[in-house]
């Protein structure tokens, strides 16, 4: 069973095009790639088009960070 919240699964499906079934069978290397993509998304959300930090953190950023922080060993219950 995946140790992801529904919002995280929905985010991965919408942002990265990876469904729940694929996540349930994901390997360590592919999970690392998802984490890297989510990290990059969160950085993009934290910076304006000039590379300066913004003041408000979006829900998109928070969800992306929560996925980027999750190690493969924590993914499956």
């Amino acid at each position: 069973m995946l140790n992801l919240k529904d919002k995280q699964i929905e985010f991965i499906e919408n942002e990265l095009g990876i469904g729940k079934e694929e996540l349930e069978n994901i390997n360590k290397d592919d999970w690392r790639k998802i984490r890297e993509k989510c990290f990059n998304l969160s950085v993009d959300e934290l910076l304006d088009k000039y590379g300066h930090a913004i003041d408000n953190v979006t829900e998109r950023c928070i969800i992306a960070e929560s996925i980027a922080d999750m190690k493969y060993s924590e993914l499956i219950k």
Side-chain angles (χ1 to χ4, degrees):
M1 177 179 230
L2 288 174
N3 190 24
L4 292 170
K5 296 177 182 163
D6 290 339
K7 281 188 173 187
Q8 292 171 313
I9 293 170
E10 184 179 321
F11 180 90
I12 293 169
E13 288 175 344
N14 293 336
E15 296 284 339
L16 306 177
I18 299 169
K20 185 175 180 178
E21 283 186 27
E22 192 174 346
L23 286 171
E24 289 172 342
N25 298 305
I26 199 161
N27 64 43
K28 190 174 184 176
D29 190 50
D30 288 338
W31 180 247
R32 180 188 51 79
K33 291 174 186 175
I34 289 173
R35 290 178 67 203
E36 287 175 2
K37 289 177 184 177
C38 287
F39 173 80
N40 290 334
L41 287 170
S42 68
V43 170
D44 288 344
E45 287 290 306
L46 291 172
L47 301 175
D48 64 16
K49 64 181 181 180
Y50 303 107
H52 300 108
I54 60 170
D55 292 330
N56 58 331
V57 179
T58 65
E59 182 176 0
R60 183 176 185 244
C61 179
I62 292 168
I63 294 171
E65 285 180 353
S66 71
I67 296 166
D69 288 343
M70 185 175 287
K71 297 176 185 172
Y72 183 76
S73 60
E74 300 168 342
L75 180 62
I76 307 293
K77 284 186 184 180

